[in-house]
Every structure is written in structure tokens, then in C-alpha cells.
Amino acid sequence: MLKNIKIYALLIITLGFMACSNDNEVEPLFDQDIDTRVNAQLESYKKILIAPEFGWKADYFPGESEALFRVHLKFNADNTVETTSDYKNGTNDLPSTYRVGVNQLPELVLENYSTLHSLFETQQFALGAEFEFIFEEITSEKVVLKSKTDQGDKSIITLTPATALDKDQIIVLQGLEERIKDGHLTTDFFRELTITNTAAQEVFSSNFSFNDNTRRATFSGADNSNNILSFDLPLKITETGFDFITPFSFNGTDFQSFTYEVATNTFKSTVGDLIAVISASIEPGYISDDILKIQDGTRSIFGYRPTYGDAQFMSQEFLDIFTTINTNLAPNGLTMSIYFFILDFSTPTPTATMTFRASDGTTDFAGNYNFNVSVVDKKMFLTLVGATDANGGFFQPRIQPLLDYWTSPNGLLYTERGNFRTFSNAFTNQSGSFFSIDNPISSYVIWFQ
């Protein structure tokens, strides 16, 4: 107890001494108020940002397992920032202003729409990109910025001082992703990825597609044992082609770097005795077995009513067919109501009938047509035999675009789409989409049986 009293007494004496001391006797703990100190700190951050003669560069992975985007930022003393990127040909590399401020923590905000904003918005923020950052680390050699708004794992962008060549090297990459997109230097609609061995035997064939918004490639196909393999991989653009961020493996062989060959308009990767090639094609590299459900009678009646709305797998070009038909019917006071097919594969010569209905607002008028139908190499072929009644004859020239679609000479591909859905409801009816090889248009249909 006595010991505690002595401690308290010493503390009181010390405080009294401090209270009696003047400014000349005790140095103040801080010689500036907190606002002044914070502003000075932020000003030092800004000086670091504008210091490098050639700006800053970054290899930006917006989120885990996402693609690589190359970015160059040049911060100026007037609070403007110049962006250069290899994303979408630099289309969104727009002038912007920036702010170094504090909101709980020191932060960097790019204030006007530019490339980082575009990446942030991509496919409903799927990439995890950012344009508002918290300073995680800042020195003259490295600036680490952490996402301000991401939930869970925060995206990170690390800036390092650029050289005189870095910006130009990014500019060289602009537009090169166009080579990967469907239709580059060709009118062939499809893109396939195939793998062959040294004997030129195909051991894997798949459909390949590239999403330049997310910079991801997807491909799904079958090997020569009919094993289905599917991949969804991020990539980075290179001067010679592209690299997958992580390789994809086929039978123990990893493929990562693909080189573009101008003469053949293909991407190629050779690893050991296997060669992977991405090329344009007039037909898919892989067709699923979904159409067998039609051939075996599991699906037999399908159609679509325009009033169901803009279905998610209906291409705009197919919806335009409905518009054309209504324009053709308008002089007769009619509007398209519905069309549907009934398929019959139970006979030696399979047949199909189509009913087309139009309304004058009070009465529906139906026209009917006969077709021969077959499934060859997982493609459906319809051949019009002709109208079977007077209404069918009347409607035929007015609905010719619809008939042309369904009688595509090189056939129709079919894909199951699960339960029929509208914007607000899901139904037990199954749905699917047909795709014309001759005229690359997708039609969404509902199975009524």
C-alpha cells in the first residue's frame, strides 16, 4: 500500500512540474495541427506520383483468376492523369482527373471515366476491377494500391516507374486482341480449337470463343474417346499472340503460349508431339448430343409466340424476322400470333408440319406446311414440301424469311436451354435454341410437349 502511495505522489509532482513549465523549457510533441500534417502527407504522396519522368506501369489482374491488362499512368501536377492500356484498342483511354485525399485512410481516386472505370463496369463488375484505391504502400520505387470498395478479397494494382519504352510497348499491343475474335479476316462464323498428333490425327476438337470484355477464352469439346472437356481461361495479349494465365492440360500436356500466324490466320501452340491450333471454320468443331433428344422423340412439338418477349437466347436478327412478317401482314390487318412445328421421326421417312397463325384482333387464321426432316451429323435438316391449305398458300410469301431460316441448306444446330424463362417467371416447359449454319442466327424455342 505504501508503495502505491509513493507512485501516485511521484505522478502528481511530475504533472505539476509539467504544468508550471513554459514553452522554452519543454518541446511540444507536435509543431503542427493534425490537418496540416495530413495535408503535408497527401502532398508528399502526390509528389511521388508525379515524379517519374515516364510515368508508372502496371500489369493489372483485377481479381483472382482474371486476365492480365497492361496499364500505363502518367500523373501530372495539375491533377490530370493520362492512361494508356492494351484493353480494347485503347478506346477508353480517356483524359481524366485524379484526387489524392483522405476518407478514413489516404486514397487515390480517378475521377473521370477511363479504362479502369470500363474494367470496373465489365459484365456487372465481374472482374473485380477498381478506380478508387487506398494507398497500401508508396515509395519512389513502388506504389501499391488496394481496392477501396471490393468486398472480400481486395484487388491490388502495383505501379512501378516506367521506362521511356514502356508506354510505346503497350501501344503496340493495342488492337492485337482483334486477331482472337470471331470473324477476324474471315467470313467463317465459327472458331475451333483442335489438337493433333505428329501423325496428323485429331485427338481433340472443340468450339472456341473469346470474350474481349473480360479477356477470357472458353472452349468445350470431345477427345477421340468422346470424353467431354470444357475450359474457361483468362489470358494476356502478347505481340506474337497470347498466353493463358494458367495453362490448360490435355492428357498431361500443358498448353499456354499461342503464336499467331498471319498467313493462315491461326494461333498455334506446339508442345512435344501435340499441336494445338485455333482457326476459323464454317462449322463448329464440336456439336453436343442435345439434338438426339429430338431424333429419339423426347422432344416433338416446339415453337414460339412473339408476345413472350425478347428471350435471352434469341438473336436480334431472328426477332427482326418477326418484324418483317408483321410488316408484310399489316396491309391485310393481321399480326403474327404464333408458329410451331410437330416433328415425327417414327416413320421410315420422318416428317414435320408447321402451323403459322396470324390474328386480326378477333380471329386467328392458321396456315399449315409439310416438311421432310432428317438429322445428319448432329444437324437437323428441314426441306419444305409445300403448303397444305389455302391459308398456307396465302401466308407463304409473307413468311418467307421464317421458312428460309428453318430450311437452311447446311442444317441447324440445337442446344438445350433448360426451363423456359421470361423476365419474371420460369415455367416447367423445356426450351432450346436452334442455330443456322448458313445464316448465323439463333432462334429460341419452347417445347410444348
Side-chain angles (χ1 to χ4, degrees):
M1 180 68 179
L2 181 61
K3 181 179 179 181
N4 289 340
I5 292 173
K6 289 181 178 180
I7 292 174
Y8 294 148
L10 179 61
L11 177 59
I12 292 170
I13 293 171
T14 302
L15 290 173
F17 177 80
M18 292 175 64
C20 295
S21 300
N22 58 35
D23 290 342
N24 293 324
E25 296 173 314
V26 179
E27 288 292 331
L29 187 59
F30 297 111
D31 60 359
Q32 294 176 321
D33 62 53
I34 188 168
D35 288 339
T36 302
R37 294 195 304 276
V38 168
N39 289 336
Q41 187 68 53
L42 296 179
E43 187 62 28
S44 72
Y45 286 4
K46 181 177 176 180
K47 287 180 179 179
I48 291 174
L49 290 178
I50 65 178
E53 178 182 2
F54 304 109
W56 300 84
K57 65 176 181 178
D59 287 346
Y60 186 29
F61 295 91
E64 187 178 355
S65 300
E66 296 298 345
L68 169 66
F69 304 89
R70 291 184 173 88
V71 180
H72 179 276
L73 297 171
K74 181 67 171 71
F75 296 93
N76 302 311
D78 63 355
N79 292 325
T80 61
V81 56
E82 304 160 36
T83 302
T84 304
S85 75
D86 68 345
Y87 181 53
K88 288 196 170 183
N89 201 24
T91 303
N92 296 310
D93 294 347
L94 304 172
S96 179
T97 58
Y98 71 94
R99 173 171 54 83
V100 176
V102 62
N103 184 0
Q104 295 182 332
L105 294 170
E107 63 183 20
L108 171 66
V109 178
L110 304 183
E111 296 181 308
N112 306 107
Y113 191 89
S114 189
T115 291
L116 293 181
H117 297 74
S118 177
L119 288 170
F120 173 77
E121 293 176 345
T122 296
Q123 294 193 202
Q124 297 183 328
F125 324 113
L127 288 180
E130 183 60 283
F131 59 90
E132 296 183 347
F133 301 96
I134 295 168
F135 286 99
E136 184 79 355
E137 177 183 343
I138 179 166
T139 69
S140 60
E141 300 301 319
K142 181 171 66 173
V143 176
V144 180
L145 302 168
K146 179 185 287 188
S147 167
K148 178 181 176 181
T149 59
D150 279 346
Q151 301 297 317
D153 293 335
K154 303 286 189 179
S155 65
I156 299 289
I157 181 169
T158 300
L159 306 177
T160 56
T163 68
L165 300 177
D166 285 330
K167 180 179 177 179
D168 289 337
Q169 288 174 347
I170 291 176
I171 292 174
V172 168
L173 298 175
Q174 290 180 347
L176 295 187
E177 64 187 357
E178 292 291 324
R179 302 181 302 195
I180 313 174
K181 294 171 64 175
D182 292 340
H184 180 66
L185 299 182
T186 178
T187 57
D188 295 338
F189 181 81
F190 298 98
R191 183 68 66 96
E192 63 180 359
L193 185 153
T194 59
I195 300 176
T196 56
N197 57 25
T198 52
Q201 298 170 320
E202 189 174 281
V203 294
F204 177 68
S205 181
S206 66
N207 299 316
F208 180 91
S209 64
F210 172 66
N211 185 331
D212 64 336
N213 287 315
T214 58
R215 196 167 279 179
R216 299 183 74 91
T218 56
F219 48 104
S220 180
D223 62 16
N224 51 8
S225 298
N226 206 33
N227 297 310
I228 308 301
L229 303 174
S230 297
F231 302 90
D232 179 0
L233 301 172
L235 54 85
K236 65 178 180 180
I237 306 300
T238 66
E239 286 191 51
T240 57
F242 71 85
D243 293 348
F244 288 117
I245 302 303
T246 56
F248 77 90
S249 182
F250 176 79
N251 287 349
T253 299
D254 290 341
F255 293 92
Q256 185 164 23
S257 296
F258 282 75
T259 301
Y260 180 68
E261 295 185 355
V262 178
T264 59
N265 190 28
T266 61
F267 291 86
K268 185 178 293 184
S269 180
T270 302
V271 183
D273 62 351
L274 295 178
I275 304 172
V277 178
I278 300 168
S279 60
S281 175
I282 60 173
E283 291 195 5
Y286 169 73
I287 303 175
S288 75
D289 292 336
D290 289 356
I291 201 166
L292 300 182
K293 293 184 178 181
I294 297 175
Q295 195 173 20
D296 67 14
T298 304
R299 308 270 187 267
S300 59
I301 304 176
F302 70 86
Y304 196 76
R305 186 189 300 273
T307 54
Y308 288 150
D310 187 354
Q312 58 178 325
F313 298 108
M314 186 86 79
S315 67
Q316 183 58 49
E317 291 85 354
F318 197 86
L319 293 171
D320 291 342
I321 290 176
F322 295 155
T323 301
T324 299
I325 289 174
N326 281 329
T327 299
N328 295 338
L329 293 173
N332 303 98
L334 298 172
T335 302
M336 178 178 176
S337 297
I338 192 173
Y339 79 93
F340 59 89
F341 280 86
I342 301 175
L343 305 174
D344 184 1
F345 282 91
S346 64
T347 60
T349 304
T351 60
T353 59
M354 186 188 87
T355 297
F356 176 87
R357 290 179 181 168
S359 174
D360 63 3
T362 303
T363 305
D364 266 7
F365 301 90
N368 296 285
Y369 307 85
N370 276 346
F371 298 79
N372 292 325
V373 60
S374 62
V375 173
V376 179
D377 295 332
K378 300 182 183 180
K379 294 174 286 187
M380 188 172 78
F381 295 83
L382 288 164
T383 303
L384 178 64
V385 176
T388 59
D389 52 36
N391 282 345
F394 169 79
F395 287 137
Q396 185 163 336
R398 294 165 174 81
I399 66 169
Q400 195 61 49
L402 186 65
L403 297 173
D404 289 342
Y405 173 85
W406 288 108
T407 56
S408 296
N410 287 303
L412 299 155
L413 307 174
Y414 175 71
T415 303
E416 292 271 273
R417 298 298 184 188
N419 287 357
F420 165 57
R421 306 187 69 85
T422 65
F423 290 117
S424 58
N425 295 295
F427 299 87
T428 57
N429 298 67
Q430 292 298 298
S431 67
S433 61
F434 286 92
F435 187 92
S436 168
I437 292 176
D438 298 273
N439 187 8
I441 295 176
S442 180
S443 65
Y444 184 76
V445 300
I446 302 161
W447 291 97
F448 300 116
Q449 181 183 6

mmCIF file of all heavy atoms in Angstrom, residues 29 47 49-50 88 99 128 145 174 189 193-194 209 240 304 313 323 345 363 365 371 391 410 439 445:
data_model
loop_
_atom_site.group_PDB
_atom_site.id
_atom_site.type_symbol
_atom_site.label_atom_id
_atom_site.label_comp_id
_atom_site.label_asym_id
_atom_site.label_seq_id
_atom_site.Cartn_x
_atom_site.Cartn_y
_atom_site.Cartn_z
ATOM 1 N N LEU A 29 5.045 18.277 -28.393
ATOM 2 C CA LEU A 29 5.051 16.978 -29.056
ATOM 3 C C LEU A 29 4.921 17.135 -30.564
ATOM 4 O O LEU A 29 5.589 16.455 -31.345
ATOM 5 C CB LEU A 29 3.896 16.119 -28.512
ATOM 6 C CG LEU A 29 3.861 14.665 -28.991
ATOM 7 C CD1 LEU A 29 5.148 13.947 -28.620
ATOM 8 C CD2 LEU A 29 2.634 13.959 -28.421
ATOM 9 N N LYS A 47 3.481 14.142 -54.843
ATOM 10 C CA LYS A 47 4.793 14.392 -55.423
ATOM 11 C C LYS A 47 5.428 13.101 -55.907
ATOM 12 O O LYS A 47 6.106 13.076 -56.949
ATOM 13 C CB LYS A 47 5.692 15.081 -54.394
ATOM 14 C CG LYS A 47 5.319 16.538 -54.136
ATOM 15 C CD LYS A 47 6.248 17.168 -53.103
ATOM 16 C CE LYS A 47 5.878 18.630 -52.872
ATOM 17 N NZ LYS A 47 6.760 19.254 -51.838
ATOM 18 N N LEU A 49 3.762 10.498 -56.979
ATOM 19 C CA LEU A 49 3.032 10.066 -58.176
ATOM 20 C C LEU A 49 3.488 10.810 -59.430
ATOM 21 O O LEU A 49 3.565 10.226 -60.520
ATOM 22 C CB LEU A 49 1.527 10.265 -57.981
ATOM 23 C CG LEU A 49 0.828 9.345 -56.976
ATOM 24 C CD1 LEU A 49 -0.647 9.723 -56.863
ATOM 25 C CD2 LEU A 49 0.963 7.881 -57.382
ATOM 26 N N ILE A 50 3.775 12.091 -59.306
ATOM 27 C CA ILE A 50 4.113 12.882 -60.486
ATOM 28 C C ILE A 50 5.616 12.870 -60.777
ATOM 29 O O ILE A 50 6.042 13.350 -61.834
ATOM 30 C CB ILE A 50 3.623 14.335 -60.354
ATOM 31 C CG1 ILE A 50 4.346 15.071 -59.231
ATOM 32 C CG2 ILE A 50 2.118 14.365 -60.145
ATOM 33 C CD1 ILE A 50 3.936 16.527 -59.084
ATOM 34 N N LYS A 88 -9.074 -3.207 -75.357
ATOM 35 C CA LYS A 88 -9.999 -2.766 -76.398
ATOM 36 C C LYS A 88 -9.421 -1.645 -77.262
ATOM 37 O O LYS A 88 -10.058 -0.610 -77.472
ATOM 38 C CB LYS A 88 -11.341 -2.339 -75.777
ATOM 39 C CG LYS A 88 -12.161 -3.515 -75.274
ATOM 40 C CD LYS A 88 -13.592 -3.128 -75.048
ATOM 41 C CE LYS A 88 -14.424 -4.371 -74.792
ATOM 42 N NZ LYS A 88 -15.850 -4.051 -74.625
ATOM 43 N N ARG A 99 -7.580 12.506 -57.742
ATOM 44 C CA ARG A 99 -7.595 13.173 -56.433
ATOM 45 C C ARG A 99 -6.845 12.309 -55.425
ATOM 46 O O ARG A 99 -7.132 11.112 -55.300
ATOM 47 C CB ARG A 99 -9.025 13.400 -55.963
ATOM 48 C CG ARG A 99 -9.145 13.941 -54.538
ATOM 49 C CD ARG A 99 -10.575 14.351 -54.222
ATOM 50 N NE ARG A 99 -11.529 13.291 -54.473
ATOM 51 C CZ ARG A 99 -11.803 12.307 -53.615
ATOM 52 N NH1 ARG A 99 -11.171 12.253 -52.445
ATOM 53 N NH2 ARG A 99 -12.698 11.380 -53.920
ATOM 54 N N GLY A 128 -13.900 -7.497 -60.852
ATOM 55 C CA GLY A 128 -13.345 -7.016 -59.595
ATOM 56 C C GLY A 128 -12.381 -5.860 -59.768
ATOM 57 O O GLY A 128 -11.539 -5.605 -58.903
ATOM 58 N N LEU A 145 -1.641 -0.135 -54.569
ATOM 59 C CA LEU A 145 -2.990 0.395 -54.366
ATOM 60 C C LEU A 145 -3.967 -0.753 -54.161
ATOM 61 O O LEU A 145 -4.016 -1.698 -54.952
ATOM 62 C CB LEU A 145 -3.415 1.226 -55.585
ATOM 63 C CG LEU A 145 -2.512 2.414 -55.936
ATOM 64 C CD1 LEU A 145 -2.876 2.964 -57.307
ATOM 65 C CD2 LEU A 145 -2.621 3.497 -54.872
ATOM 66 N N GLN A 174 -2.109 -2.662 -78.554
ATOM 67 C CA GLN A 174 -3.484 -2.223 -78.787
ATOM 68 C C GLN A 174 -4.009 -2.784 -80.109
ATOM 69 O O GLN A 174 -3.363 -2.672 -81.141
ATOM 70 C CB GLN A 174 -3.563 -0.698 -78.795
ATOM 71 C CG GLN A 174 -3.352 -0.067 -77.441
ATOM 72 C CD GLN A 174 -3.433 1.459 -77.487
ATOM 73 O OE1 GLN A 174 -3.407 2.065 -78.545
ATOM 74 N NE2 GLN A 174 -3.526 2.073 -76.320
ATOM 75 N N PHE A 189 -18.049 -18.153 -89.617
ATOM 76 C CA PHE A 189 -18.636 -17.712 -88.345
ATOM 77 C C PHE A 189 -17.993 -18.381 -87.147
ATOM 78 O O PHE A 189 -17.832 -17.769 -86.092
ATOM 79 C CB PHE A 189 -20.137 -17.994 -88.337
ATOM 80 C CG PHE A 189 -20.811 -17.555 -87.070
ATOM 81 C CD1 PHE A 189 -21.162 -16.228 -86.890
ATOM 82 C CD2 PHE A 189 -21.067 -18.458 -86.059
ATOM 83 C CE1 PHE A 189 -21.769 -15.809 -85.714
ATOM 84 C CE2 PHE A 189 -21.681 -18.045 -84.874
ATOM 85 C CZ PHE A 189 -22.029 -16.722 -84.714
ATOM 86 N N LEU A 193 -10.843 -24.961 -81.667
ATOM 87 C CA LEU A 193 -9.528 -25.319 -81.175
ATOM 88 C C LEU A 193 -9.389 -26.825 -81.309
ATOM 89 O O LEU A 193 -10.186 -27.585 -80.735
ATOM 90 C CB LEU A 193 -9.331 -24.884 -79.726
ATOM 91 C CG LEU A 193 -7.943 -25.091 -79.108
ATOM 92 C CD1 LEU A 193 -7.687 -24.085 -77.988
ATOM 93 C CD2 LEU A 193 -7.737 -26.501 -78.552
ATOM 94 N N THR A 194 -8.409 -27.257 -82.090
ATOM 95 C CA THR A 194 -8.182 -28.680 -82.289
ATOM 96 C C THR A 194 -6.766 -29.039 -81.862
ATOM 97 O O THR A 194 -5.854 -28.207 -81.902
ATOM 98 C CB THR A 194 -8.384 -29.088 -83.763
ATOM 99 O OG1 THR A 194 -7.475 -28.341 -84.576
ATOM 100 C CG2 THR A 194 -9.805 -28.801 -84.208
ATOM 101 N N SER A 209 -14.298 -19.685 -78.240
ATOM 102 C CA SER A 209 -14.822 -18.319 -78.297
ATOM 103 C C SER A 209 -14.012 -17.433 -77.371
ATOM 104 O O SER A 209 -13.452 -17.896 -76.365
ATOM 105 C CB SER A 209 -16.307 -18.269 -77.928
ATOM 106 O OG SER A 209 -16.503 -18.669 -76.592
ATOM 107 N N THR A 240 3.221 -11.550 -80.117
ATOM 108 C CA THR A 240 3.222 -12.703 -81.022
ATOM 109 C C THR A 240 1.908 -13.478 -81.015
ATOM 110 O O THR A 240 1.696 -14.322 -81.881
ATOM 111 C CB THR A 240 4.363 -13.669 -80.665
ATOM 112 O OG1 THR A 240 4.226 -14.085 -79.295
ATOM 113 C CG2 THR A 240 5.707 -12.991 -80.844
ATOM 114 N N TYR A 304 -42.758 -20.747 -80.971
ATOM 115 C CA TYR A 304 -42.545 -19.515 -80.206
ATOM 116 C C TYR A 304 -43.634 -18.509 -80.543
ATOM 117 O O TYR A 304 -44.075 -18.409 -81.686
ATOM 118 C CB TYR A 304 -41.173 -18.899 -80.512
ATOM 119 C CG TYR A 304 -40.750 -17.882 -79.491
ATOM 120 C CD1 TYR A 304 -40.296 -18.286 -78.250
ATOM 121 C CD2 TYR A 304 -40.837 -16.523 -79.751
ATOM 122 C CE1 TYR A 304 -39.921 -17.357 -77.282
ATOM 123 C CE2 TYR A 304 -40.460 -15.584 -78.795
ATOM 124 C CZ TYR A 304 -40.023 -16.017 -77.563
ATOM 125 O OH TYR A 304 -39.659 -15.101 -76.606
ATOM 126 N N PHE A 313 -31.833 -16.182 -75.472
ATOM 127 C CA PHE A 313 -31.047 -16.867 -76.486
ATOM 128 C C PHE A 313 -31.566 -16.605 -77.898
ATOM 129 O O PHE A 313 -31.180 -17.282 -78.835
ATOM 130 C CB PHE A 313 -31.032 -18.378 -76.209
ATOM 131 C CG PHE A 313 -30.388 -18.717 -74.892
ATOM 132 C CD1 PHE A 313 -31.139 -19.157 -73.820
ATOM 133 C CD2 PHE A 313 -29.020 -18.577 -74.727
ATOM 134 C CE1 PHE A 313 -30.553 -19.461 -72.608
ATOM 135 C CE2 PHE A 313 -28.412 -18.879 -73.518
ATOM 136 C CZ PHE A 313 -29.181 -19.322 -72.458
ATOM 137 N N THR A 323 -40.552 -9.019 -87.099
ATOM 138 C CA THR A 323 -40.906 -7.650 -87.511
ATOM 139 C C THR A 323 -41.218 -7.600 -88.994
ATOM 140 O O THR A 323 -42.199 -6.965 -89.416
ATOM 141 C CB THR A 323 -39.749 -6.689 -87.181
ATOM 142 O OG1 THR A 323 -39.493 -6.730 -85.774
ATOM 143 C CG2 THR A 323 -40.091 -5.269 -87.593
ATOM 144 N N PHE A 345 -40.500 -38.609 -86.080
ATOM 145 C CA PHE A 345 -39.391 -39.462 -86.511
ATOM 146 C C PHE A 345 -39.756 -40.945 -86.425
ATOM 147 O O PHE A 345 -38.879 -41.798 -86.514
ATOM 148 C CB PHE A 345 -38.154 -39.195 -85.640
ATOM 149 C CG PHE A 345 -37.405 -37.946 -86.013
ATOM 150 C CD1 PHE A 345 -37.715 -36.734 -85.420
ATOM 151 C CD2 PHE A 345 -36.396 -37.983 -86.961
ATOM 152 C CE1 PHE A 345 -37.033 -35.579 -85.749
ATOM 153 C CE2 PHE A 345 -35.706 -36.827 -87.310
ATOM 154 C CZ PHE A 345 -36.022 -35.620 -86.707
ATOM 155 N N THR A 363 -59.993 -12.894 -84.565
ATOM 156 C CA THR A 363 -59.932 -14.278 -85.026
ATOM 157 C C THR A 363 -58.506 -14.644 -85.424
ATOM 158 O O THR A 363 -57.783 -13.837 -86.005
ATOM 159 C CB THR A 363 -60.854 -14.484 -86.237
ATOM 160 O OG1 THR A 363 -62.177 -14.060 -85.884
ATOM 161 C CG2 THR A 363 -60.878 -15.936 -86.667
ATOM 162 N N PHE A 365 -56.103 -16.989 -87.758
ATOM 163 C CA PHE A 365 -56.125 -17.696 -89.039
ATOM 164 C C PHE A 365 -54.861 -18.548 -89.114
ATOM 165 O O PHE A 365 -53.756 -18.048 -88.887
ATOM 166 C CB PHE A 365 -56.182 -16.708 -90.206
ATOM 167 C CG PHE A 365 -57.375 -15.813 -90.172
ATOM 168 C CD1 PHE A 365 -57.324 -14.590 -89.509
ATOM 169 C CD2 PHE A 365 -58.566 -16.194 -90.773
ATOM 170 C CE1 PHE A 365 -58.425 -13.755 -89.463
ATOM 171 C CE2 PHE A 365 -59.682 -15.365 -90.729
ATOM 172 C CZ PHE A 365 -59.611 -14.149 -90.072
ATOM 173 N N PHE A 371 -43.024 -30.658 -94.266
ATOM 174 C CA PHE A 371 -41.578 -30.702 -94.480
ATOM 175 C C PHE A 371 -41.103 -32.142 -94.384
ATOM 176 O O PHE A 371 -41.704 -32.957 -93.674
ATOM 177 C CB PHE A 371 -40.822 -29.911 -93.399
ATOM 178 C CG PHE A 371 -41.130 -28.447 -93.347
ATOM 179 C CD1 PHE A 371 -42.289 -27.985 -92.728
ATOM 180 C CD2 PHE A 371 -40.250 -27.519 -93.890
ATOM 181 C CE1 PHE A 371 -42.564 -26.631 -92.660
ATOM 182 C CE2 PHE A 371 -40.516 -26.164 -93.823
ATOM 183 C CZ PHE A 371 -41.678 -25.717 -93.216
ATOM 184 N N ASN A 391 -54.845 -21.064 -96.592
ATOM 185 C CA ASN A 391 -54.196 -20.059 -95.744
ATOM 186 C C ASN A 391 -52.677 -20.169 -95.810
ATOM 187 O O ASN A 391 -51.963 -19.163 -95.813
ATOM 188 C CB ASN A 391 -54.655 -20.204 -94.296
ATOM 189 C CG ASN A 391 -56.032 -19.616 -94.053
ATOM 190 O OD1 ASN A 391 -56.545 -18.859 -94.873
ATOM 191 N ND2 ASN A 391 -56.639 -19.961 -92.920
ATOM 192 N N ASN A 410 -27.399 -25.980 -95.044
ATOM 193 C CA ASN A 410 -26.348 -26.693 -94.322
ATOM 194 C C ASN A 410 -26.762 -27.102 -92.917
ATOM 195 O O ASN A 410 -25.921 -27.528 -92.119
ATOM 196 C CB ASN A 410 -25.078 -25.844 -94.275
ATOM 197 C CG ASN A 410 -24.389 -25.796 -95.623
ATOM 198 O OD1 ASN A 410 -24.048 -26.826 -96.190
ATOM 199 N ND2 ASN A 410 -24.220 -24.597 -96.161
ATOM 200 N N ASN A 439 -26.888 -19.004 -92.079
ATOM 201 C CA ASN A 439 -27.140 -17.619 -91.710
ATOM 202 C C ASN A 439 -27.066 -17.563 -90.191
ATOM 203 O O ASN A 439 -28.032 -17.904 -89.516
ATOM 204 C CB ASN A 439 -28.531 -17.190 -92.211
ATOM 205 C CG ASN A 439 -28.782 -15.717 -92.019
ATOM 206 O OD1 ASN A 439 -27.882 -14.981 -91.653
ATOM 207 N ND2 ASN A 439 -30.006 -15.297 -92.254
ATOM 208 N N VAL A 445 -36.682 -21.429 -78.752
ATOM 209 C CA VAL A 445 -37.965 -22.116 -78.914
ATOM 210 C C VAL A 445 -38.383 -22.741 -77.582
ATOM 211 O O VAL A 445 -37.559 -23.003 -76.705
ATOM 212 C CB VAL A 445 -37.895 -23.217 -79.990
ATOM 213 C CG1 VAL A 445 -37.522 -22.625 -81.345
ATOM 214 C CG2 VAL A 445 -36.927 -24.329 -79.601
#
